Amino acid sequence: MDLPNFYNQPKIVSATFHINTPIFAAGSNQKQAELTPTTIKGVMRFWWRALNWSRIRLSCDNKESAFKKLHNEEAKLFGSTADDNKSRGGQGYCLINTLKLEEASQSNIWNYNGNQSGLNYLLGQGLYSFKTGVTRDALTAGRSFTIDFTIDSKAYLQVIDTLRIIGLLGGFGSRSRHGLGSVTLIELSQIDTITNQSDLISFENEAKLALTELLDKYQCHKNSELPPLSAFYKNTRIDIVSITNKDSLDLLNTVGEEAQLYRSFGRGGKVNGEVAEKNFTKDHDFTLNLFTATPNTIQHPKRVVFGLPHNYFYSGTTTRGHSANIDSSTGRRASPLIQHIHKNKDQYQLIQCLLKSEFLPSGAKIKIAARKDNKSERAFVNPDIDWAVITDFMNRQTFNNKESI
């Protein structure tokens, strides 16, 4: 593997992020909470691609050549693995020197007793159990961490912009698309390699102005073609919601309660003590109908648009013993709805971003596997994606007071 050639004098940049909600990230020990350079680089790659796809697509004749150019630029910036046929791989023009977590006066680990139903819903089966509580350690919110980078001068602005978009919409670790692991960029500085003097780098802090500036700079609104990957384009929707709270987890709990009320069928006609809305009765009945003569009037459950896989467990007196798994033939598909808890001075606010893109690769199918006691049914169907399922959620009354980009 080759080391990078810094053709220009490299810049040393320091970025400090505030942790808004607990981060479920780990290194080699998955039970131990830890932020690693690998985690940082992975998130940077994702948001760099999201920000740069439209710019690159507009410069290319077709998606195939745009993909190749995107891959080449990403490899130069962040590095690539060795390829026996084409290259030896090597480090990119953006190197992480140090990663330092602010020392805490109390425990670094989030202590959660499971008393907020909305948080439990967002944590999901992988991170929370009603019997044992949180299944993995998470870095507690309210602290900060600082990353020092060495950056080639010609890559400097792209790295700065990538760090800024992470601080506006992004997060680290598991469930980061559901508001966990949300961070806000609070300081950028450049360090003189000779004097070691640190000079602050100014950047726009107001969310709407900053997002508008970045999307315009990278020509996102000029590209009207649905992206083949999670990326900004003309029809990307970003809502800066006016509901605020001085406690980030109380705000995230509100978001989770809204999601559960909107998506869940409920038990005994209730969801968390409220009357169940039953917005997706056809979804609820879909796999049950596979074992009866009742025909389904939808291609597959509509809620697949929130991401795959999607599991069903039935507990009613007439449905006990039923279960189902809805997945894609190509494996996991992350949610296109990104929910970010943003620090705004001494309060927190919700930002929701719908990153529409091709839902599955060409030719991929929605895979349905259902069980009833000792019987099973399987089906593969073409995806029929209804984006209104997500936009209707974004338009709920709780989120009505908002600014959209």
Side-chain angles (χ1 to χ4, degrees):
M1 178 176 284
D2 293 337
L3 292 174
N5 284 318
F6 289 116
Y7 296 106
N8 306 295
Q9 178 67 28
K11 297 179 183 290
I12 309 297
V13 170
S14 180
T16 299
F17 289 90
H18 183 272
I19 301 175
N20 304 332
T21 53
I23 297 178
F24 285 89
S28 56
N29 182 354
Q30 287 295 302
K31 292 288 186 179
Q32 180 179 335
E34 181 186 9
L35 261 180
T36 67
T38 301
T39 299
I40 301 296
K41 275 287 189 74
V43 172
M44 290 181 70
R45 283 176 178 270
F46 172 84
W47 286 107
W48 179 87
R49 289 192 296 266
L51 198 56
N52 282 271
W53 168 255
S54 285
R55 171 186 65 82
I56 291 174
R57 179 65 185 94
L58 291 168
S59 71
C60 296
D61 293 333
N62 52 61
K63 285 191 287 190
E64 290 72 22
S65 58
F67 256 128
K68 184 175 180 179
K69 186 174 181 180
L70 183 81
H71 174 75
N72 289 339
E73 287 194 19
E74 180 182 343
K76 287 179 181 178
L77 183 57
F78 296 111
S80 62
T81 56
D83 185 326
D84 292 336
N85 297 318
K86 296 181 181 179
S87 70
R88 291 175 293 179
Q91 298 272 19
Y93 292 138
C94 172
L95 307 179
I96 293 178
N97 304 329
T98 61
L99 170 58
K100 184 178 180 181
L101 191 66
E102 178 189 34
E103 293 185 7
S105 56
Q106 298 178 346
S107 173
N108 294 337
I109 306 305
W110 183 36
N111 183 20
Y112 176 57
N113 60 11
N115 63 337
Q116 293 181 291
S117 59
L119 284 181
N120 299 343
Y121 182 76
L122 293 175
L123 286 166
Q125 297 171 16
L127 295 180
Y128 182 78
S129 164
F130 286 102
K131 292 182 179 179
T132 60
V134 175
T135 60
R136 285 170 48 188
D137 285 345
L139 296 173
T140 190
R143 302 163 60 199
S144 65
F145 62 91
T146 300
I147 318 163
D148 287 346
F149 300 91
T150 298
I151 309 168
D152 188 285
S153 296
K154 59 188 174 186
Y156 168 77
L157 289 178
Q158 285 200 27
V159 173
I160 294 296
D161 290 341
T162 300
L163 295 172
R164 290 179 62 198
I165 201 72
I166 291 172
L168 292 162
L169 295 173
F172 296 92
S174 299
R175 304 293 193 278
S176 60
R177 294 192 181 212
H178 300 302
L180 287 154
S182 291
V183 297
T184 297
L185 182 65
I186 56 176
E187 187 175 291
L188 276 173
S189 59
Q190 183 175 330
I191 302 169
D192 190 292
T193 55
I194 298 175
T195 65
N196 208 34
Q197 179 180 339
S198 177
D199 295 318
L200 290 178
I201 301 170
S202 63
F203 59 95
E204 178 59 61
N205 285 311
E206 200 280 319
K208 183 179 181 181
L209 292 176
L211 285 165
T212 301
E213 173 200 331
L214 288 169
L215 297 185
D216 287 347
K217 180 177 179 179
Y218 287 85
Q219 305 177 63
C220 301
H221 292 144
K222 292 183 179 180
N223 176 26
S224 59
E225 180 185 74
L226 186 70
L229 73 165
S230 296
F232 300 108
Y233 82 120
K234 182 179 179 179
N235 292 326
T236 295
R237 173 174 165 179
I238 303 174
D239 289 351
I240 303 169
V241 186
S242 294
I243 56 170
T244 59
N245 198 308
K246 290 192 174 183
D247 188 313
S248 61
L249 290 177
D250 282 349
L251 176 57
L252 188 57
N253 182 62
T254 298
V255 176
E257 288 178 341
E258 285 294 318
Q260 190 172 18
L261 194 57
Y262 176 70
R263 294 178 59 176
S264 295
F265 185 80
R267 291 186 180 184
K270 299 283 187 177
V271 175
N272 290 330
E274 296 189 45
V275 176
E277 295 179 3
K278 296 187 177 182
N279 295 312
F280 300 98
T281 301
K282 290 182 179 180
D283 281 17
H284 173 271
D285 296 344
F286 186 90
T287 60
L288 299 177
N289 291 341
L290 296 178
F291 298 97
T292 70
T294 305
N296 281 308
T297 58
I298 54 176
Q299 183 93 335
H300 52 69
K302 292 290 188 180
R303 286 171 294 176
V304 299
V305 71
F306 280 107
L308 295 168
H310 187 189
N311 297 312
Y312 287 76
F313 300 98
Y314 298 90
S315 59
T317 55
T318 61
T319 59
R320 195 177 304 277
H322 286 75
S323 63
N325 174 265
I326 315 296
D327 206 344
S328 81
S329 57
T330 53
R332 182 178 182 273
R333 206 294 184 188
S335 173
L337 177 63
I338 295 176
Q339 295 166 309
H340 173 83
I341 302 300
H342 190 67
K343 191 175 193 302
N344 183 9
K345 298 179 181 178
D346 64 341
Q347 295 199 91
Y348 295 90
Q349 66 184 140
L350 171 67
I351 302 179
Q352 299 196 107
C353 174
L354 175 54
L355 279 180
K356 288 184 183 178
S357 63
E358 295 175 10
F359 190 74
L360 292 178
S362 176
K365 304 284 188 179
I366 301 290
K367 180 173 65 174
I368 301 165
R371 293 190 64 84
K372 177 187 177 184
D373 299 324
N374 61 346
K375 299 178 183 179
S376 63
E377 292 286 343
R378 298 177 70 86
F380 291 83
V381 298
N382 291 321
D384 180 23
I385 300 305
D386 182 2
W387 294 106
V389 171
I390 292 181
T391 56
D392 284 351
F393 173 75
M394 298 174 76
N395 291 336
R396 286 177 69 82
Q397 185 175 356
T398 299
F399 310 136
N400 262 354
N401 191 7
K402 59 181 175 284
E403 293 182 291
S404 296
I405 299 175

